[in-house]
Amino acid sequence: MDGIRLSADLVIKNAKLYAFGRIIEAGLAVENGRIVRVAKESNLPRASEKIDVNGLLVLPGIIDAHVHLRDQELSYKEDFYSGTCAAANGGITLVMDMPNNKPVTMSVSALRERMSIASRKIVVNVALYSAFPERINEIKNIVSEGAKAFKVFLSHRVGGIDPNDNWAMREAFREAARLKVPVAIHAEDGVLLNETIRRLRDAGKDDFDAYIEAHSIEAEVRGIRRAIGLTRDSGAQTHICHVSTSEGLKTILDARREGVPITCEVTPHHILLSEEHMKKMGAISLTNPPLRPPSDITYLQSALQKGLIDVVASDHAPHSMEEKEGPSVWDISAGIVGLETTLPLMLTMVNMGFITLPALVKVMVENPARIFGFKNRGSIDEGNHADLVVIDLKREWTIDPSKFYSKAKFSPFEGWRVRGKPVKTIVGGNMVMDEGEIVAKPGSGRIIR
Ligand code: DOR
Ligand code: ZN
Ligand code: ZN
């Protein structure tokens, strides 16, 4: 930046930095929360605070584009403090919060209320999704208030628009396109899904097989086709959340080849766990869309290796233990807790040679920053916010949900041996997590509008 800077607030030295598309042995200087210099030790300014990371890897902070932070009337599942502590513990510096809250994030006032509660509790940065409101002309006000993106559930109504109301959906997507705001989509076709659930329930079927039959591959593929139709019609930039099937992914990739502005996401659980796991482990691995047959998993994995997947996100969806138990499968709350396992699992895949480190940074940092329009974030570069994660790539450890900061202390990955651990999380130049300890005050994170 400037050639004569003599002092800074913070210097991180002795690092292997992932910058400019490669790993460099260097350090960096931070002033007022921004990276002001990336350079060799001897060319760094003096600083009041110095962190020697002893040759560890430093990546730009992870951006998790799919998180249910809950709070408000769902605070018993998770709140802004516990959820962002979990994020920090997982090396994540920015989370995108989903709108299926109580009350639903779907208006200027709901957004304001949520931001105001969050701003007092968060320890990492948070951007908020909104659901569509009932009135189309409210959409622009929600955007002005600072919603970063919209989220649509095709499976059931969340927000002001019935997902089966084609006209209203089209109008909403067109308005999002006009405002250049992305729309993320949970693509399970609601008509097929809910008809099947009704039929199965009436027939007294209430086990995991019935659940898989309802949340079928066909339901996902139909949902994705519908999402593509809405994207084509409106020109909106859309993002398909948690793709779980090979057919679904193929459909997206075909559309993209034809120039449809659509991106896609996978979760660690959909690429590492199969429906056999679910039948064995039960409710803890029950999620929507559900875990799939091994052939789908292989397909998603190879797509990730080929660079065809844009984003890996956690879909962190915490529930209370009671909600995970139920007399029938239809009474169990779906969702897998992922903030504290997503990066370690991905680092393990890097260590196994399954994906490269640049590929990890692309799907967990660079692409989310680009898709959702986070300016001056997503890479270690002069002028960018100092959102960083220090990683011990060699450290082997065992996933132990009882140690989670999340209120939901269970995980289908319990007992998994992983290799690679985030050991420091730095947000805007402030240390938030250090060796598993949260060292920042509630409210130190920022709302990103
Ligand atoms: O399993 C899920 N849980 N899928 C969703 O789409 C919602 C999420 C939640 O909010 O619990
Ligand atoms: Zn979803
Ligand atoms: Zn979700």
Side-chain angles (χ1 to χ4, degrees):
M1 223 176 207
D2 54 343
I4 51 157
R5 181 177 295 278
L6 291 175
S7 72
D9 301 332
L10 166 71
V11 157
I12 295 176
K13 58 177 215 169
N14 208 358
K16 289 195 176 63
L17 291 179
Y18 186 81
F20 319 116
R22 60 184 190 277
I23 293 173
I24 52 172
E25 288 187 15
L28 59 81
V30 177
E31 178 130 304
N32 291 326
R34 300 262 191 158
I35 299 166
V36 291
R37 181 71 64 80
V38 179
K40 294 279 172 204
E41 210 80 48
S42 54
N43 291 328
L44 288 174
R46 280 194 304 272
S48 38
E49 193 191 344
K50 274 207 180 85
I51 303 172
D52 184 338
V53 296
N54 286 316
L56 291 182
L57 179 66
V58 179
L59 300 184
I62 303 303
I63 299 175
D64 192 337
H66 192 149
V67 176
H68 300 266
L69 283 177
R70 318 285 197 207
D71 207 294
Q72 297 174 289
E73 287 172 52
L74 301 177
S75 290
Y76 65 93
K77 297 177 194 256
E78 196 79 285
D79 62 39
F80 283 116
Y81 182 64
S82 60
T84 56
C85 285
N89 196 30
I92 296 156
T93 54
L94 169 54
V95 304
M96 296 185 69
D97 170 59
M98 284 296 173
N100 57 331
N101 300 303
K102 221 169 163 184
V104 175
T105 318
M106 58 179 281
S107 65
V108 167
S109 63
L111 198 63
R112 260 190 209 152
E113 174 70 4
R114 207 160 160 75
M115 285 177 171
S116 137
I117 298 168
S119 65
R120 297 191 293 270
K121 298 187 184 178
I122 56 181
V123 297
V124 303
N125 296 330
V126 174
L128 282 86
Y129 281 95
S130 175
F132 282 133
E134 200 172 339
R135 289 181 28 243
I136 302 296
N137 60 9
E138 267 293 299
I139 292 178
K140 61 178 183 308
N141 303 333
I142 290 172
V143 173
S144 311
E145 196 60 33
K148 257 311 205 189
F150 287 92
K151 169 72 181 281
V152 168
F153 290 82
L154 296 179
S155 48
H156 60 293
R157 181 177 179 151
V158 175
I161 297 178
D162 173 357
N164 298 317
D165 181 343
N166 263 319
W167 180 84
M169 287 284 273
R170 263 194 6 222
E171 292 301 307
F173 272 67
R174 287 176 185 177
E175 182 66 354
R178 189 179 74 79
L179 297 164
K180 297 189 165 46
V181 180
V183 183
I185 303 163
H186 177 118
E188 283 186 287
D189 182 76
V191 175
L192 178 59
L193 173 65
N194 294 304
E195 268 176 10
T196 317
I197 292 177
R198 213 170 309 134
R199 178 169 59 73
L200 290 165
R201 290 191 84 143
D202 284 351
K205 300 211 168 129
D206 64 357
D207 58 7
F208 287 103
D209 286 317
Y211 198 88
I212 289 169
E213 191 178 339
H215 291 264
S216 61
I217 290 173
E218 179 60 19
E220 174 163 297
V221 175
R222 277 198 206 180
I224 287 172
R225 286 207 196 105
R226 176 121 190 275
I228 291 168
L230 286 159
T231 309
R232 280 188 202 276
D233 170 84
S234 63
Q237 181 201 326
T238 61
H239 176 75
I240 307 294
C241 299
H242 46 50
V243 178
S244 67
T245 63
S246 57
E247 252 336 278
L249 182 59
K250 279 180 204 156
T251 309
I252 295 168
L253 297 176
D254 284 346
R256 192 147 68 183
R257 255 177 247 120
E258 290 167 20
V260 178
I262 194 163
T263 53
C264 61
E265 166 194 293
V266 297
T267 67
H269 47 270
H270 288 116
I271 57 172
L272 292 171
L273 301 173
S274 76
E275 62 185 19
E276 296 311 315
H277 281 90
M278 180 177 87
K279 287 180 200 164
K280 255 186 266 150
M281 287 185 296
I284 281 169
S285 57
L286 188 83
T287 189
N288 296 331
L291 303 178
R292 300 297 187 186
S295 56
D296 285 285
I297 294 171
T298 316
Y299 190 88
L300 295 182
Q301 287 180 348
S302 103
L304 178 66
Q305 281 181 317
K306 289 181 192 143
L308 297 170
I309 308 274
D310 302 288
V311 171
V312 170
S314 68
D315 193 6
H316 178 79
H319 298 286
S320 71
M321 198 61 215
E322 297 74 61
E323 290 169 319
K324 278 287 179 191
E325 288 155 355
S328 94
V329 82
W330 312 115
D331 303 307
I332 298 170
S333 296
I336 287 176
V337 184
L339 285 170
E340 290 160 276
T341 51
T342 295
L343 178 59
L345 289 165
M346 295 299 289
L347 291 171
T348 306
M349 293 175 94
V350 169
N351 272 316
M352 289 166 61
F354 189 85
I355 57 163
T356 64
L357 193 65
L360 180 151
V361 174
K362 198 160 240 106
V363 295
M364 299 190 81
V365 189
E366 294 168 357
N367 286 347
R370 178 178 47 79
I371 292 166
F372 294 98
F374 295 111
K375 284 197 207 77
N376 295 114
R377 296 181 200 278
S379 63
I380 296 180
D381 205 350
E382 293 172 3
N384 277 1
H385 295 276
D387 299 341
L388 306 162
V389 54
V390 181
I391 286 163
D392 185 344
L393 203 51
K394 297 273 164 316
R395 196 168 320 173
E396 279 193 35
W397 55 290
T398 302
I399 292 173
D400 176 2
S402 73
K403 299 212 176 87
F404 283 176
Y405 283 92
S406 171
K407 290 186 184 181
K409 300 194 191 302
F410 38 82
S411 161
F413 297 107
E414 174 168 11
W416 279 42
R417 197 77 190 144
V418 285
R419 190 159 194 232
K421 195 178 208 303
V423 291
K424 293 183 198 316
T425 302
I426 295 165
V427 178
N430 286 320
M431 183 84 77
V432 175
M433 181 277 282
D434 193 3
E435 281 294 343
E437 292 292 310
I438 300 299
V439 294
K441 286 200 187 73
S444 59
R446 283 170 54 190
I447 306 284
I448 310 297
R449 288 158 204 266

